[in-house]
Amino acid sequence: MPKKKTGSRKKAESRKERQKLQRLGRDQVDVAKHPCNVIMECEKCQRRQKNRAFCYFCSSLQKLPICGNCGKTKCMQRSSDCVIKHPGVYTTGMAMVGAICDFCETWICHGRKCLTTHSCPCPLTNADCIECERGVWDHGGRVFRCCFCGNFLCEDDQFEHQASCQVLEAETFKCGSCSRLGQHSCLRCKACFCDEHIRSKVYKQEKRKSPPCPKCGRETQETKDLSVSTRNLKFGRHGDDSDQDYGAYGNDLSWTTNTEPLLEGDADYEEEDYDEADEDDDDDDKEEELEKGKNINATFAGMNLGPSYSSG
């Protein structure tokens, strides 16, 4: 006979299951439409920004704060859910708020449900931008998620990141553990997996869902359904269409555009032309130096400096 579960054991198991559902639900929340991430316009500086307890630019307090959990600006509840009782009175402004969330920096109303349930499943927990590594408190814009890899993005880097996100870190579409073609791709790890190596002992596959990534546990997608590309490495220098055919270090890049082979006689003829041109340039330089020396001697010939210590 199996042992009977005690009350504390049942509570612990239910708590673990509830926390697991909260972690899973945090990834499924649409961050752009959540009340803690809505657009707010400051009443003093008239700048648009993310919903905050205080203005990011001028640190002013708003007259009508928005709750980061339920999104309301006025408390109209007459039940016993409010921590601060206000029977028959509608509260707004600072009379409605009860706390500030440390993760999303928004006001939380004095409702018991919002105060007790917002902090753990807050969708902006550890919402650091994957590109610039700034948190919610370090920039004034809104926070978004990449639709490919699921990482957090700030308002400044969202378009630039998503334009270059569908690129694998490998040079081919082969599985990283074998040479077979990777049929499943994880855009967070930027890797492909075959049907055999996609199976994981840590992350279990749910019914009617794609298999999870064996590295990060994120749900994978079939490679044929994605518009991914491989890493492309370009070696060497490439010539441009400018007048000068020399690179950054003085290397001649004219060979990159000249496709006609030279004959032996043509090569010798060109070398002779270069030697004659170099000799003419050297003679001209010597003549210019001699003329400059004569002009300098003529300039200082008529100068009289008078008696000096060296002349006695």
Side-chain angles (χ1 to χ4, degrees), residues 15-16 55 59 61 93-94 100 102 110 155 157 161 172 180 225 227 246 287 303:
R15 184 174 65 252
K16 285 183 180 179
C55 178
S59 301
L61 188 65
M94 294 304 296
I100 298 178
D102 291 334
H110 59 220
E155 199 167 359
D157 298 326
H161 171 82
T172 60
R180 284 180 289 185
D225 297 337
S227 174
Y246 293 92
E287 291 178 0
M303 292 182 64

Side-chain angles (χ1 to χ4, degrees), residues 141-187:
R142 301 169 68 196
V143 181
F144 301 91
R145 274 188 183 273
C146 179
C147 58
F148 302 115
C149 62
N151 290 315
F152 286 104
L153 295 171
C154 65
E155 199 167 359
D156 300 329
D157 298 326
Q158 60 165 331
F159 297 110
E160 183 179 356
H161 171 82
Q162 291 185 103
S164 60
C165 186
Q166 290 183 287
V167 180
L168 301 178
E169 292 185 354
E171 297 180 6
T172 60
F173 291 99
K174 293 182 179 180
C175 177
S177 302
C178 63
S179 59
R180 284 180 289 185
L181 184 65
Q183 299 180 359
H184 305 275
S185 298
C186 177
L187 290 179

Side-chain angles (χ1 to χ4, degrees), residues 69 92 105 132 181 238:
N69 189 61
T92 57
E105 197 190 351
C132 59
L181 184 65
H238 298 274

Side-chain angles (χ1 to χ4, degrees), residues 25-73:
R26 187 184 301 169
D27 296 335
Q28 298 174 359
V29 172
D30 191 358
V31 181
K33 297 180 181 179
H34 199 271
C36 67
N37 199 33
V38 296
I39 300 176
M40 181 192 76
E41 186 173 352
C42 179
E43 299 172 357
K44 188 175 181 180
C45 63
Q46 303 297 326
R47 290 191 177 184
R48 301 181 68 184
Q49 57 195 289
K50 172 193 163 298
N51 182 21
R52 295 178 180 273
F54 302 94
C55 178
Y56 178 79
F57 302 99
C58 61
S59 301
S60 62
L61 188 65
Q62 309 302 310
K63 294 181 180 179
L64 293 175
I66 304 173
C67 178
N69 189 61
C70 59
K72 64 183 180 182
T73 57

